[in-house]
Amino acid sequence: MIHRDQLVAACDHQLRAAEFKDFTINGLQVAGSEHVKRIMTGVTACQVLLDEAVAWQADMVLVHHGYFWKNEPVAITGMKQRRIKTLLDHDISLLAYHLPLDAHAEMGNNAELARHLGWKVEGCIDGALGEGLLWSGRLPQPHSVSELAAQIAQTLQRKPLVIEAPQVGDIERIAWCTGGAQDMITDAYESGAQVFVSGEISERTTHLAREMGIHYIAAGHHATERYGVQALGEWLSDEYDVEHRFVDIDNPA
């Protein structure tokens, strides 16, 4: 068992949370019990995850997608009220890290996605490694886009949506950014990548990929962002006297 504020400080420091300009609050969003023995992690602090945390008697929920996003209504009503009431009624803290968890060089979403898929990390296109969000690297060996898509489907247990650029043959140079980063495709192309992997797709993404000449793979926002929060939870479990459990709430998007 450890004090809540010590865990929060450790995460804030490890993820360099204060250095990121984000769309939300990174760190402690809802304060619960001062003492933490059990941490439940998940991608999003949805009601189903909170109900799992209550059933497991968790003291803290740690997620990538928390609450209090820029430009959302500030009133605590409806769905937001029910979620926050669940946390307060059961004295559960909510800890959330968005961009800092995408960027972390060792246990961030981009780093963990590359590790699970065996990609060789060479750096970031939009900043230093550990600060940038658009990562670049190489496949272990050249693949067709269909072979890469099949590997992603097997690893993530979700069939990706593939936009092929007919003028591109086998691929080796790759760029990626987990989540909703489809509009980074131009920067990925200009960096020399032959394929760009992210989570979501927009209507315009299809035309950009085909006309510029870069394959695009939309592997799922949720599916590409499962791993960072698990790695952070495991790190906390190893470093401190806490139990950790990850719960994957099904989400096809």
Side-chain angles (χ1 to χ4, degrees):
M1 187 175 294
I2 189 169
H3 197 281
R4 176 198 65 219
D5 295 345
Q6 186 176 348
L7 282 181
V8 174
C11 290
D12 285 351
H13 176 75
Q14 178 65 228
L15 298 178
R16 296 156 57 193
E19 298 178 24
F20 287 83
K21 185 178 180 180
D22 211 335
F23 316 103
T24 185
I25 301 166
N26 287 299
L28 185 64
Q29 293 192 341
V30 178
S33 173
E34 291 187 357
H35 301 287
V36 178
K37 182 178 180 181
R38 287 183 167 182
I39 300 175
M40 178 168 287
T41 59
V43 177
T44 299
C46 61
Q47 188 65 51
V48 177
L49 182 68
L50 301 185
D51 292 341
E52 290 280 353
V54 170
W56 191 52
Q57 296 183 314
D59 306 295
M60 176 178 284
V61 171
L62 169 61
V63 295
H64 180 48
H65 301 138
Y67 307 150
F68 312 115
W69 297 92
K70 183 180 179 181
N71 297 327
E72 75 172 18
V74 296
I76 301 176
T77 59
M79 179 183 72
K80 183 188 291 187
Q81 185 270 346
R82 291 190 294 273
R83 289 175 170 184
I84 293 175
K85 187 175 187 298
T86 299
L87 292 166
L88 295 177
D89 283 351
H90 297 277
D91 211 16
I92 299 173
S93 295
L94 177 64
L95 192 57
Y97 294 96
H98 186 231
L99 296 185
L101 192 58
D102 289 322
H104 195 275
E106 296 171 357
M107 60 180 118
N109 286 319
N110 286 312
E112 283 291 301
L113 185 66
R115 184 177 69 82
H116 277 80
L117 288 163
W119 301 339
K120 179 182 178 182
V121 175
E122 295 185 335
C124 288
I125 296 166
D126 60 342
L129 193 66
E131 299 174 4
L133 300 173
L134 180 57
W135 287 41
S136 64
R138 292 182 179 270
L139 303 180
Q141 59 189 35
H143 283 308
S144 68
V145 68
S146 60
E147 289 172 332
L148 177 60
Q151 182 204 11
I152 290 172
Q154 182 177 19
T155 302
L156 303 189
Q157 294 298 295
R158 179 194 185 277
K159 183 178 179 181
L161 190 155
V162 180
I163 304 299
E164 294 192 40
Q167 61 270 52
V168 181
D170 281 356
I171 51 181
E172 183 177 4
R173 299 187 306 277
I174 184 170
W176 66 97
C177 181
T178 63
Q182 60 268 45
D183 286 336
M184 289 183 170
I185 189 171
T186 300
D187 291 333
Y189 168 75
E190 291 176 350
S191 76
Q194 297 162 293
V195 60
F196 177 47
V197 179
S198 188
E200 299 183 14
I201 187 167
S202 298
E203 189 272 346
R204 59 188 172 274
T205 318
T206 297
H207 305 296
L208 290 168
R210 289 172 178 168
E211 294 180 36
M212 287 191 298
I214 180 172
H215 299 303
Y216 182 67
I217 299 179
H221 193 136
H222 175 90
T224 57
E225 296 194 327
R226 287 192 192 111
Y227 303 116
V229 73
Q230 291 184 63
L232 182 58
E234 287 302 308
W235 177 76
L236 288 172
S237 180
D238 290 342
E239 292 290 323
Y240 303 97
D241 184 23
V242 293
E243 296 179 54
H244 167 236
R245 178 185 171 198
F246 172 75
V247 174
D248 189 18
I249 307 301
D250 180 61
N251 188 334

